Structures are given as structure tokens and as C-alpha cells.
Amino acid sequence: DPDAAMAAYDQVLEKYQENNKSADAQYMKARMLLQTGKRTAAADEFRELIKKYPASEQAAKAKDQLKALGIAPPSASRTPRKR
């Protein structure tokens, strides 16, 4: 059941935000959304994953997923330099 799976992913994301498996859960949630035809919601999850876990393997996969959807992945956020 896709809805039950997404609820389980949400629980992991809520309870274990700093856990190393959170990026996995967010990636799997986004893939589930994509498989159920919720393209916009999936893209939002992929973007959020990239923002939260930029150095993770899942972030690289999320960027690839966004590109496959024809959506530009978010660029790395940069802090303006002080002069």
C-alpha cells in the first residue's frame, strides 16, 4: 500500500531527522510519490533531500531523478562573502 509506505517514511523523517537513514527514507518517499504519479510532490521531496543532505549518495540520486524529470536540480546554496 503506497499510502502506508509514505506514512512510514514520514515517521522515520520526523523521529530520526539526524539519523543516517533519513536521507534513504526521504529518497524512497520521493520515489514512491513518483511511482504513484505525484510528480510535483516527488520533485519537492527530491529538492528537500538535496537541501537537507547535500553530501549524501541519495542527494546525488535525487539530482539525477530531477534531471530525468526535466527539472533543474537546486544549486548549492552559497553564503555571500564578506569583504
Side-chain angles (χ1 to χ4, degrees):
D1 176 24
D3 291 332
M6 284 189 273
Y9 295 136
D10 282 337
Q11 285 182 335
V12 170
L13 292 168
E14 186 177 315
K15 289 183 180 181
Y16 307 105
Q17 293 178 6
E18 300 303 319
N19 187 294
N20 62 350
K21 293 296 180 187
S22 295
D24 288 331
Q26 191 151 18
Y27 181 79
M28 294 306 294
K29 179 182 177 186
R31 293 280 302 152
M32 181 69 65
L33 287 164
L34 197 55
Q35 290 172 1
T36 57
K38 298 175 182 168
R39 187 177 185 268
T40 301
D44 290 343
E45 287 294 329
F46 286 134
R47 285 188 200 103
E48 185 66 21
L49 187 159
I50 294 164
K51 180 179 162 189
K52 284 184 179 177
Y53 312 102
S56 70
E57 179 181 329
Q58 293 76 12
K61 290 179 182 180
K63 287 177 185 177
D64 289 342
Q65 289 291 326
L66 287 173
K67 288 177 188 173
L69 292 169
I71 300 169
S75 58
S77 61
R78 296 183 185 174
T79 321
R81 291 184 187 183
K82 293 183 180 179
R83 293 182 184 208

